[in-house]
Amino acid sequence: QLHKQADMQEEKNRIERVLGAISQPELIQKVLTFALSEEVRPQDTVSVIGGVAGGSKQGRKAAWKFVRDNWEELYNRYQGGFLISRLIKLTVDGFANDKMAAEVKVRSFN
């Protein structure tokens, strides 16, 4: 609601960044869905997803699953450029097992 009411883009960006602090699983999913909505500028989607990934261990797992599930849309949106690289870095930073590393490698080159 605050995001919709914000007059300035800077305020919208601040609101988008703090949404990642949410810890309830159902709200995390709402934030991730919101990230791809028309309410969020495409260049800001990465920050919203990255905020979720950086908010908690649970958020990181949810954000990575969201990126995997929406990979085609995200990759097409950013055409393999800087923002897709940033998105991957933000969502996988802190992964600590081989299985997750393998998932990143497969996604990065497909």
Side-chain angles (χ1 to χ4, degrees):
Q1 191 69 352
L2 291 173
H3 188 271
K4 286 181 182 179
Q5 295 172 349
D7 293 335
M8 296 179 7
Q9 187 59 45
E10 290 174 3
E11 184 65 17
K12 287 180 184 275
N13 291 140
R14 278 192 282 273
I15 293 166
E16 291 165 357
R17 282 192 302 269
V18 300
L19 288 173
I22 294 170
S23 60
Q24 295 93 343
E26 65 278 359
L27 294 180
I28 287 173
Q29 290 306 311
K30 283 185 177 186
V31 171
L32 291 168
T33 300
F34 170 74
L36 280 179
S37 74
E38 292 183 10
E39 294 180 57
V40 176
R41 298 183 313 173
Q43 64 266 38
D44 297 330
T45 295
V46 171
S47 296
V48 176
I49 297 171
V52 170
S56 66
K57 183 177 179 181
Q58 184 175 347
R60 183 180 310 118
K61 287 181 180 181
W64 177 238
K65 182 180 182 326
F66 185 80
V67 168
R68 286 191 333 255
D69 292 348
N70 293 281
W71 179 251
E72 189 173 329
E73 180 177 351
L74 290 162
Y75 189 82
N76 288 336
R77 179 182 282 202
Y78 301 118
Q79 300 294 311
F82 165 76
L83 285 173
I84 197 73
S85 298
R86 183 167 179 245
L87 178 62
I88 292 168
K89 181 181 180 341
L90 289 171
T91 55
V92 302
D93 194 32
F95 279 2
N97 68 43
D98 291 337
K99 181 182 176 207
M100 290 177 151
E103 285 181 7
V104 173
K105 186 175 182 180
V106 168
R107 290 290 170 190
S108 296
F109 297 106
N110 284 339

